[in-house]
Amino acid sequence: MWFLILSIAALGAMGFDISCNSNMAVYWGQNSGASGSLPYQKPLGAYCDDDNVDIILLSFLYILKGKGGYPVLNFANICDYTKNSSVPVFPDTELMHCSDMGVDIKRCQEKGKIVLLSIGGATAQLNSDAETFSKQVWDLFMEGNSTYRPFDDAIIDGVDLDFEQQSQMDIIQFANNMNQLFKTSSRKYYLTAAPQCPYPDANLGNLLSQSHVDMAFIQFYNSGWCDNSKYGLPHWPESMNYYMWDAAWHNSSFANSDIRLYVGSTAGSGAGNPSSYVSPDFFANELQGLQKDYPDSFGGAMTWDMSWAYGQTPNYAASAKQAMMAGSKCSSSR
């Protein structure tokens, strides 16, 4: 028994491994818990030591082309020049210089996590062209060259596309450009997407079918009929529809035949549509069922967002992670 417990604990502390079926992804940056009278989100570094989180998604880069032709970041109460005049902004842009975040990114990476920059969000302005924007993302946040480096010498592990509206930018071309840039490096990068649960997703469906995407953080919330709250109901017309996504995986409907699918949930009743929310215990049971029933495609769980997950007891992300660890398997045993 002790060996089993220690083995599970050790596996949880190993850090991110895309081949495992127990990864936990959490969006950080929008401080949405403040709307529910929860404590404000802490700086990124406060979450680095928690082995329950494997993937941190920085949300958001929400304007693709702002002042001076540069993108614009928003991390709510963290590094916000509109509310804190001491936060530096690069000349003739609205691009913030978040040096402390750069330190935190490197610290989280040293702890075995990957840190992705999420592009989009509900209020995004998707207004650039694919060629310019892909080069900017590479230069500003990865291994390219620019005098404007929001996180200084910290290098993010990839980008997440959370496009919740039609994009003026050719998203497929952008993804293809990024994947080509990734190939120029010996470092491992990831391209991910956050589709909504109706399959195929209206805004990201073509991306998933035509471009290599490593992970899909599927939002099983805010969509009604296919939300987590419908888990356990008979199929159609209302049911949590992971089975549709798994069928697409087995039918080779995705450009990446080995894309990892994640089950996304809100971490609090006020983090999205309240009717979409499920309790930590319900979500834990759901994850264990899906992990067992869909072993080929299942990659883990995602939750929105850090402020809700950590602002309540029990910790929503920790509950989900520990539920998945009981059935955790990686590439050699999947």
Side-chain angles (χ1 to χ4, degrees):
M1 177 63 73
W2 281 110
F3 175 76
L4 175 61
I5 293 173
L6 290 171
S7 296
I8 291 174
L11 185 59
M14 285 171 55
F16 175 72
D17 180 344
I18 195 172
S19 75
C20 295
N21 65 351
S22 55
N23 288 310
M24 187 70 224
V26 185
Y27 281 86
W28 172 94
Q30 286 304 293
N31 192 35
S32 69
S35 65
S37 300
L38 295 180
Y40 277 24
Q41 69 180 359
K42 297 177 181 179
L44 179 63
Y47 308 101
C48 292
D49 290 331
D50 187 354
D51 291 332
N52 289 303
V53 178
D54 305 293
I55 306 166
I56 297 177
L57 298 121
L58 309 178
S59 54
F60 289 108
L61 186 162
Y62 78 109
I63 298 177
L64 275 56
K65 185 178 181 181
K67 182 180 178 182
Y70 283 85
V72 181
L73 302 167
N74 181 286
F75 301 118
N77 61 309
I78 305 295
C79 193
D80 182 358
Y81 80 95
T82 67
K83 298 177 182 177
N84 184 351
S85 59
S86 67
V87 173
V89 178
F90 292 107
D92 301 316
T93 76
E94 294 179 292
L95 181 63
M96 299 180 297
H97 189 181
C98 306
S99 293
D100 289 346
M101 282 185 63
V103 173
D104 288 346
I105 288 169
K106 290 191 287 186
R107 182 176 172 220
C108 283
Q109 290 169 333
E110 289 170 357
K111 295 292 183 176
K113 302 180 188 339
I114 62 168
V115 181
L116 309 178
L117 177 62
S118 188
I119 301 168
T123 62
Q125 297 179 31
L126 310 176
N127 57 346
S128 189
D129 67 273
E131 196 65 37
T132 299
F133 187 59
S134 56
K135 185 66 165 57
Q136 280 185 327
V137 170
W138 181 253
D139 288 344
L140 297 173
F141 304 105
M142 298 183 185
E143 292 182 65
N145 296 308
S146 176
T147 55
Y148 295 175
R149 294 278 299 185
F151 307 138
D152 294 328
D153 62 347
I155 297 173
I156 59 172
D157 296 295
V159 293
D160 171 62
L161 301 177
D162 181 15
F163 283 25
E164 301 185 18
Q165 56 185 283
Q166 288 296 312
S167 173
Q168 300 172 40
M169 180 182 72
D170 185 339
I171 188 173
I172 295 172
Q173 186 60 55
F174 170 77
N176 292 342
N177 289 352
M178 293 309 304
N179 281 321
Q180 287 302 313
L181 288 166
F182 294 168
K183 291 178 181 178
T184 67
S185 173
S186 59
R187 187 185 184 111
K188 176 59 181 175
Y189 288 102
Y190 301 92
L191 181 71
T192 68
Q196 296 176 337
C197 58
Y199 181 84
D201 179 76
N203 300 309
L204 295 169
N206 288 337
L207 169 74
L208 293 168
S209 65
Q210 298 181 45
S211 297
H212 183 101
V213 176
D214 294 291
M215 294 171 276
F217 304 119
I218 307 166
Q219 301 180 48
F220 289 100
Y221 51 88
N222 297 341
S223 292
W225 69 269
C226 56
D227 289 347
N228 287 309
S229 59
K230 305 299 191 297
Y231 177 71
L233 295 180
H235 293 182
W236 195 261
E238 287 197 357
S239 124
M240 188 274 182
N241 69 331
Y242 188 95
Y243 68 94
M244 289 185 174
W245 290 86
D246 180 75
W249 191 95
H250 280 96
N251 291 334
S252 300
S253 298
F254 302 119
N256 174 15
S257 62
D258 197 31
I259 186 173
R260 300 289 90 198
L261 305 182
Y262 285 62
V263 180
S265 177
T266 52
S269 59
N273 187 324
S275 66
S276 299
Y277 172 72
V278 295
S279 70
D281 286 345
F282 185 103
F283 192 47
N285 179 68
E286 177 186 356
L287 291 173
Q288 289 181 329
L290 295 171
Q291 185 187 52
K292 178 181 178 182
D293 293 342
Y294 303 101
D296 296 329
S297 62
F298 188 90
M302 171 273 283
T303 194
W304 174 273
D305 70 349
M306 196 78 79
S307 59
W308 278 99
Y310 283 77
Q312 304 178 101
T313 302
N315 181 309
Y316 203 89
S319 173
K321 176 68 173 182
Q322 292 308 309
M324 293 186 291
M325 287 306 298
S328 184
K329 296 179 181 179
C330 299
S331 58
S332 61
S333 54
R334 286 182 75 130

